[in-house]
């Protein structure tokens, strides 16, 4: 549509995208288990949205951030997905080169969905 050629595997890109979407859905589930109302859930999601965009490396380079924020980026799943996108789309990197961000994204996905399942309580409301 935009005329951008992808140098790497589109399948690899889609599979990592599915991992990232699952991680974000898991984070949404955790936030919804913490909130008592829909408004609280929306406010919590905005609380996490802005820092995750700024700390992902999409807006500002991570190397230019203060050291504290560089360490904080390790818990942002968008950071790993952006590393995968840059590797696949720009460099055509094979999975052997980008296995680390994919593995961290997978670990985060499993962890956050596990936390969401553990926090979920069935009620009769």
């Amino acid at each position: 549509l935009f005329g951008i050629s992808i140098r790497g595997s589109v399948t690899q890109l889609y599979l990592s995208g599915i991992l990232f979407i699952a991680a974000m859905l898991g984070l949404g589930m955790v936030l919804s288990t913490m909130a008592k109302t829909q408004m609280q859930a929306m406010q919590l999601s905005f609380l996490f949205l802005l820092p995750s965009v700024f700390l992902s490396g999409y807006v500002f380079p991570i190397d230019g951030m203060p050291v504290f924020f560089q360490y904080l980026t390790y818990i942002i799943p968008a950071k790993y997905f952006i590393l995968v996108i840059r590797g696949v789309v720009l460099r055509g990197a094979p999975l052997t080169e980008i296995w680390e961000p994919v593995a961290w994204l997978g670990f985060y996905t499993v962890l956050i969905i596990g936390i969401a399942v553990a926090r979920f309580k069935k009620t009769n409301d």
Side-chain angles (χ1 to χ4, degrees), residues 24-87:
M24 292 293 91
L25 288 173
L27 182 61
M29 287 188 293
V30 168
L31 293 178
S32 68
T33 62
M34 295 168 62
K36 297 201 185 311
T37 65
Q38 182 179 358
M39 184 58 78
Q40 282 180 345
M42 288 175 52
Q43 289 172 342
L44 278 173
S45 67
F46 285 125
L47 180 72
F48 280 89
L49 176 70
L50 206 54
S52 73
V53 169
F54 286 126
L55 295 175
S56 66
Y58 178 71
V59 177
F60 303 111
I62 294 174
D63 294 338
M65 295 179 188
V67 176
F68 171 75
F69 291 113
Q70 287 181 16
Y71 285 120
L72 198 57
T73 63
Y74 287 105
I75 62 170
I76 306 292
K79 168 192 174 176
Y80 303 111
F81 187 55
I82 287 174
L83 289 174
V84 170
I85 288 175
R86 285 181 180 157

Side-chain angles (χ1 to χ4, degrees), residues 4-9 12-14 16-17 20 58 77-93 98 101-102 105:
I4 299 172
S5 61
I6 298 174
R7 295 187 181 193
S9 167
Q12 203 173 15
L13 199 57
Y14 281 143
S16 347
F20 177 68
Y58 178 71
K79 168 192 174 176
Y80 303 111
F81 187 55
I82 287 174
L83 289 174
V84 170
I85 288 175
R86 285 181 180 157
V88 172
V89 173
L90 298 178
R91 294 189 328 245
I98 58 168
V102 171
L105 196 55

